[in-house]
């Protein structure tokens, strides 16, 4: 479906295993975590795994919406890359690919039967990605995303939080998504 639709595809069955591919930096991986929460809400019995670069995995530990974190090397050799791709080969029913790069696409393409992925809206760019029978989300250019969240913990472990008053801390305790 080059036009980005799945009209000619049968309805997707409820996935048993979902993979979220986020191969960039800590912030990108963190901003991908709402996908895990949304997948768990939509399909409560599915397993949700995240594939991230090594060094980002500890930030995702303890997330109640992520069942398993898979960490891969940022610059693996040819054979190490092949082993990484084979380790997840066709293990998932659905992949959410959060970046338009080639490596995230390769992981999503080899890991899942179906995927949702961003592709460039520019004519002639990413033609091979657009030719894959998946749901494509066209991206026109850079976007800025502001993630607003309320958290109880400060900016670092042991932060005295002198910049917050008691009412703010109580409100944060009620709204904090992480228990």
């Amino acid at each position: 479906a080059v036009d980005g639709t799945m009209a000619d595809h049968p309805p997707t069955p409820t996935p048993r295993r979902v993979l979220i591919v986020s191969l960039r930096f800590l912030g990108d991986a963190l901003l991908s975590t709402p996908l895990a929460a949304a997948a768990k809400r939509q399909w409560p019995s599915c397993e949700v795994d995240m594939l991230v670069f090594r060094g980002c995995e500890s930030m995702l530990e303890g997330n109640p919406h992520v069942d398993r974190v898979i960490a891969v090397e940022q610059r693996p050799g040819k054979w190490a890359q092949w082993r990484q791709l084979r380790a997840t080969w066709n293990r998932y029913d659905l992949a959410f690919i959060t970046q338009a790069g080639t490596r995230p696409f390769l992981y999503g393409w080899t890991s899942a039967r179906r995927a949702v992925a961003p592709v460039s809206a520019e004519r002639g760019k990413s033609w091979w990605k657009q030719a894959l029978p998946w749901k494509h989300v066209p991206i026109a250019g850079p976007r800025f995303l502001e993630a607003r969240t309320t958290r109880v913990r400060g900016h670092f472990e042991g932060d005295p939080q002198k910049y917050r008053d008691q009412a703010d801390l109580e409100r944060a305790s009620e709204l904090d998504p992480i228990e």
Side-chain angles (χ1 to χ4, degrees), residues 32-116:
S32 299
T33 58
L35 281 173
K40 286 287 191 176
R41 269 193 312 276
Q42 182 68 30
W43 308 294
S45 63
C46 81
E47 291 179 31
V48 177
D49 296 348
M50 286 192 69
L51 182 91
V52 298
F53 279 144
R54 192 163 312 286
C56 295
E57 69 271 26
S58 62
M59 176 188 57
L60 300 169
E61 289 175 6
N63 185 313
H65 309 294
V66 178
D67 294 297
R68 183 171 156 231
V69 179
I70 304 164
V72 297
E73 297 297 330
Q74 287 188 26
R75 291 183 175 81
K78 179 172 51 172
W79 295 112
Q81 177 75 62
W82 175 249
R83 282 191 300 277
Q84 289 173 352
L85 291 169
R86 285 207 35 151
T88 59
W89 185 269
N90 213 22
R91 291 182 184 259
Y92 296 90
D93 300 307
L94 178 64
F96 289 103
I97 303 167
T98 62
Q99 293 101 16
T102 300
R103 286 188 61 204
F105 258 78
L106 284 175
Y107 278 107
W109 181 60
T110 59
S111 298
R113 293 166 187 85
R114 298 225 177 202
V116 177

Side-chain angles (χ1 to χ4, degrees), residues 134-145:
W134 297 347
K135 174 67 178 169
H136 301 112
V137 181
I139 52 173
R143 298 280 190 265
F144 292 96
L145 176 65

